[in-house]
Amino acid sequence: MKKAILTVVLCSVFGLLGLNVVALADSTRRYDCTIDGTDREPVGDRNGQHIIVSLQYTCRVADGPLKDAGITAISVSEWDGEKGTYLASLDVHRALEGFAVGQLLEGIGSSVMENNRTDGIAASGKTVFKFASGSLAALSGKTIRFTTKPAGARRFEIEFTDWPEAAQPK
């Protein structure tokens, strides 16, 4: 009886471990990002609620086999109060033996409030890869969806979905 229970427990554990391996190979890539610089320009109308924000940031893969891969990017958005529209963004992705350049197709954002203060920005949109080579060559010409969420002071998390399987770690 003890052997049967032990067998069930071990099979369950190995099954759960197998699910984690499958999760690494899914089409999502998550990065932890730090805001390196910000510039806010008032447009001059709507009582200071209308501004242009340019943002420089760097990111590192949050977890998994490509932990040292990264992004360097600049983004420009237009804000009317708590709502934003992304006007332009260019991001350079680096990975072991790979390089890719993504360009924003569309994006929107909104301020995330906590305890009556702005905690950060939540955003979503699409990026197209205009160039990709080496281990990231599968990204060339591909459109990828992204979402962001705040992760602390001057930090956020960005998650890309629809990431091509060929650009995933082996």
Side-chain angles (χ1 to χ4, degrees), residues 128-146:
V128 64
F129 284 91
K130 297 290 197 163
F131 174 86
S133 67
S135 63
L136 297 177
L139 294 171
S140 186
K142 300 290 187 209
T143 297
I144 309 266
R145 295 180 184 279
F146 69 87

Side-chain angles (χ1 to χ4, degrees), residues 29-161:
R29 176 77 56 88
R30 191 176 69 246
Y31 291 81
D32 292 321
C33 303
T34 302
I35 297 170
D36 300 321
T38 305
D39 189 24
R40 297 170 184 263
E41 293 293 329
V43 176
D45 58 357
R46 300 184 213 150
N47 297 325
Q49 294 293 310
H50 191 199
I51 60 173
I52 300 293
V53 176
S54 63
L55 181 68
Q56 300 84 37
Y57 61 92
T58 54
C59 307
R60 293 282 174 240
V61 170
D63 53 23
L66 292 178
K67 192 167 178 85
D68 291 330
I71 301 171
T72 303
I74 185 166
S75 174
V76 178
S77 54
E78 176 185 17
W79 289 83
D80 192 1
E82 305 297 315
K83 301 289 182 194
T85 302
Y86 287 81
L87 304 173
S89 183
L90 189 63
D91 41 274
V92 176
H93 294 246
R94 290 179 182 84
L96 185 61
E97 299 180 23
F99 187 83
V101 178
Q103 181 179 340
L104 177 78
L105 288 176
E106 62 185 55
I108 57 170
S110 61
S111 297
V112 175
M113 304 297 284
E114 189 173 300
N115 298 327
N116 290 330
R117 67 176 185 80
T118 302
D119 189 40
I121 303 292
S124 63
K126 293 179 186 177
T127 293
V128 64
F129 284 91
K130 297 290 197 163
F131 174 86
S133 67
S135 63
L136 297 177
L139 294 171
S140 186
K142 300 290 187 209
T143 297
I144 309 266
R145 295 180 184 279
F146 69 87
T147 58
T148 71
K149 64 181 179 181
R154 301 187 62 77
R155 296 182 50 243
F156 64 95
E157 185 177 280
I158 189 167
E159 190 171 274
F160 293 96
T161 55

